[in-house]
Structure formats: structure tokens, C-alpha cells
């Protein structure tokens, strides 16, 4: 009989779960008596804990935890990827471009073909910083949204509108002069930068003429030398004008050029008139544009990022050929180089007056132009693009010939926070290296 009882106990012990004692001890509210009533203990176990116990006994707990962790990571990446880069799924060109250059290369892509920065006499730089520019963008976006000319085709977009507004506000001139007004958008920008300062606007056609066809801006505190009263900037009697406005210090005057004239010519005229602070809107890159620009003048072999090769099997030629497929204003070697491998200016030409007056120049003349420019430059500063192309979806200017943007690619949260994501992408397609100069007569 004793033997039978031992056999029964042995059979019962085999049928009992090896984890039963541990389960009871863990969940027992009464202090963990292993011999307690198992049925009372189990009726307080939650469904989640029962599942955990089951997975623990069967050995599936860790695989399930790992899979769950992977799901959390994947969902988190998908949600936060919007803050890394904003790419329009409907724009195949942008996707192709990003695949071609790679996401990691977006930032380094800027300036990869060189940015010929004009050298100043003493290496002086502007006073404002990148932080000032960011703060300026945040302030300017709501102003820009109130512009009267929403579709300023063939005129300034957001980048240059911001640049003109920001620099004008920073410099705080006593008089503002603009040469080239078109529909009046730049006049509107100047007015919002300095609400109480007089403006002189010089333009062959008066902006009011555009009112017949659509939106335009005419300022009430602006003297217009336009239409039948037009006088070219280089022919103005600036002494008389300065006396009229009570300007004794011409370094307190800001001159803005958006007239598509030879910028070397305009620079010499401004120097002769005694003006010190100049902004050129269309500072075209070498091989592009309808007038000879400061950027073109400074594109020299002795300047970092300057000079070009017309050899069709060169690294530069191969890079330019590829980039031409992605950026509208990119220039390949065939477009860059003219007769006799002349690459300076536009295929060896010094363009002027909306490309209506062109003059072929030698490289020696081009070189001397750069030496003159350096002799009068106190400050040279090119406005960076407002934001990288993966954010703005711009397709025109080639980042390889531009400085690093104010808001770099990948910083979508900042781009959105500053209000730029709500603007139409077309307003970012007008960047042409707007430049600010501070000049003085050559030192003797």
C-alpha cells in the first residue's frame, strides 16, 4: 500500500507544471506560501500576465519582444522622417536627383564646382551672421505673404526679396535708389524695409503702366524717373539730387541695381557718383545671363573656385554634363566654352543691356577687370539661397555653383517652423547670387 501511495505521488508530481510553484509564489498576496490554494491565486491573474507566463514557459517571449521593438523603431522612423527631408513623391525629378547625388551628399554638393568669391582689399566681411539671417527669414515670411504682386514672373522671388529687405534694414540708409523697377515689387520690398525713407526709382517704363494688365505697386513716397521722365543712372545729376534730399554723406545711400546692365559699368558709375553701398540683383554665374556680372569678373584661376577647363574629357566636363540633366541653369562644357576655348563672361563675351549689346573680350581684359574690381572692393558678400533644394523643390540654379543655403537640406522642421513650407515652390526659382558690395576708390 505504501508503495502504491508513493507511485501516485510520483505521477502527480510529473503532471504538475514545473513553473506552478513559482507562479503561485509570485502572485500570492498572502506572503508566498507555496502550499496555498492555487485556484484562489490564479483567479487574480490578468490576461496580459497569463500571456506573458505562456510565452515564458514556451520560450517565445524574447522573439516577441524583439519583433515589437523593431516595429516601434520602424514606425518612429516613418513618423520622424518628415523632419529629415521633405521630398515630393509626385516630383520624380527630385527623387532622381537625390538618388543620383545621395542624401548624405546634399550638403557637400553646394559649391562642389567652385564658388569664385571676389577678393576685397582688406578681407573685410559683413557684420550680420547666419543667426541674424534665420531671425530675418522668420520676420520676413509674414511680410512677404502680403505682397501685392503674387506672381512676379521675370522678377524677384523669395530669396532675393528677403535679401534686399534684410540688407536694407540692416544698413538703414537715409536714401534708397533703385535702377530697374519693373512692376514695382522691389520698391515694395524697400518700402517695407524702411517705411519712412524716400526712394528714387529709375526705370524706362513706369510701374503704373503694368496696372492695366494686372497687379503692380506704385509708392507714394517715391520719386520716379520713369517713362517720359526716364534718365539713365549713369546720366543722372547726382549732386543736384543729393542736395534736393539733403544728403551730405553719400555713404548713407543704398543703391540697388536690377536693370540688367553691365555690372562693371554700373560699378564705375556708382563710384564716380560717390556711392558706397551697392546691391546687384542678378549676379549671374559664368556662362549665363544677359549682362557681364561681378561673379563672372571674379571667376579667375587665381581665385579659389574660379577658372574653367574646356577639355571635354576633363572631370569638370563630365560633372557638368551630368548636372545639366537635373538643374535648368547648369551649364555644360559645350555651353560654357566659345570659340578659341573662351569660357569667361558668356563664351568670351561681355554682355550688356539685356543681351542687346555684346562685346568680345580677351582673357587679358577679363583678368584686368578682376584686378580693378579688387582694388575698389571693401566688402563682397553673396546672398545664400534661403533653403536647400530638397526643401524648396527648386530646379533652376545649380547648387554646385552656390554657397551653402541659410537653411540646409534635411532641416525640414526649421523650414516649416519659419513658415517657408506654406509658400508656393515657384517663389524659390529665382536665385541668381544677389550680391552686396561696399566700395571705395582705389588706394594710391
Amino acid at each position: 500500500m505504501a508503495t502504491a501511495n508513493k507511485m501516485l505521488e510520483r505521477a502527480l508530481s510529473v503532471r504538475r507544471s514545473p513553473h506552478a510553484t513559482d507562479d503561485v509564489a509570485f502572485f500570492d498576496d498572502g506572503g508566498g506560501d507555496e502550499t496555498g490554494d492555487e485556484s484562489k491565486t490564479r483567479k487574480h491573474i490578468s490576461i496580459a500576465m497569463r500571456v506573458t507566463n505562456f510565452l515564458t514557459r514556451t520560450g517565445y517571449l524574447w522573439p516577441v519582444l524583439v519583433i515589437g521593438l523593431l516595429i516601434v523603431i520602424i514606425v518612429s522612423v516613418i513618423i520622424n522622417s518628415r523632419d529629415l527631408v521633405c521630398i515630393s513623391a509626385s516630383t520624380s525629378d527630385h527623387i532622381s536627383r537625390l538618388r543620383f547625388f545621395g542624401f548624405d551628399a546634399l550638403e557637400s554638393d553646394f559649391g562642389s564646382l567652385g564658388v569664385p568669391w571676389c577678393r576685397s582689399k582688406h578681407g573685410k566681411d559683413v557684420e550680420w551672421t547666419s543667426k541674424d539671417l534665420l531671425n530675418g527669414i522668420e520676420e520676413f515670411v509674414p511680410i512677404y505673404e502680403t505682397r501685392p504682386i503674387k506672381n512676379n514672373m521675370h522678377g524677384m522671388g523669395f530669396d532675393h526679396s528677403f535679401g534686399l529687405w534684410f540688407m536694407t534694414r540692416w544698413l538703414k540708409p537715409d536714401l534708397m535708389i533703385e535702377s530697374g523697377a519693373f512692376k514695382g515689387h522691389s520698391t515694395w520690398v524697400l518700402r517695407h524695409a524702411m517705411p519712412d525713407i524716400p526712394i528714387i526709382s529709375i526705370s524706362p517704363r513706369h510701374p503704373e503702366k503694368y496696372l492695366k494688365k494686372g497687379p503692380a505697386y506704385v509708392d507714394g513716397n517715391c520719386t520716379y524717373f520713369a517713362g517720359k521722365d526716364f534718365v539713365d543712372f549713369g546720366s543722372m545729376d547726382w549732386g543736384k539730387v543729393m542736395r534736393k534730399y539733403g544728403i551730405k554723406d553719400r555713404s548713407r545711400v543704398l543703391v540697388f541695381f536690377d536693370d540688367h546692365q553691365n555690372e562693371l559699368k554700373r560699378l564705375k558709375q556708382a563710384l564716380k557718383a560717390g556711392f558706397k553701398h551697392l546691391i546687384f540683383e542678378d549676379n549671374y554665374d559664368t556662362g549665363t545671363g544677359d549682362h557681364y556680372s561681378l561673379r563672372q569678373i571674379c571667376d579667375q584661376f587665381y581665385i579659389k573656385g574660379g577658372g574653367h577647363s574646356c577639355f571635354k574629357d576633363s572631370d569638370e566636363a563630365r560633372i557638368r554634363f551630368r548636372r545639366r540633366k537635373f538643374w535648368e541653369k547648369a551649364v555644360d562644357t559645350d555651353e560654357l566654352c566659345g570659340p578659341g576655348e573662351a569660357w569667361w563672361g558668356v563664351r568670351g563675351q561681355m554682355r550688356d543691356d539685356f543681351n542687346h549689346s555684346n562685346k568680345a573680350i580677351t582673357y587679358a581684359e577679363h583678368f584686368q577687370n578682376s584686378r580693378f574690381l579688387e582694388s575698389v572692393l571693401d566688402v563682397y558678400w553673396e546672398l545664400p539661397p534661403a533653403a536647400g533644394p530638397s526643401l524648396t523643390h527648386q530646379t533652376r540654379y545649380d547648387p554646385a555653383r552656390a554657397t551653402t543655403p541659410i537653411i540646409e537640406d534635411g532641416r525640414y522642421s526649421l523650414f516649416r517652423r519659419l513658415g517657408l513650407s506654406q509658400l508656393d515652390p515657384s517663389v524659390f526659382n529665382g536665385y541668381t547670387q544677389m550680391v552686396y558690395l561696399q566700395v571705395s576708390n582705389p588706394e594710391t
Side-chain angles (χ1 to χ4, degrees), residues 9 255 279 306 322 370 375 395:
E9 289 176 1
V255 184
I279 298 175
R322 291 197 301 267
S370 72
S375 72
T395 58

Side-chain angles (χ1 to χ4, degrees), residues 93 99 120 127 137 146 154 188 204 221 278 337 356 386 421 435:
D93 287 345
R99 287 173 179 169
S120 59
E127 297 176 350
I137 287 178
T146 67
H154 307 302
W188 178 85
N221 190 20
L278 317 176
C337 299
H356 293 150
S421 60
V435 63

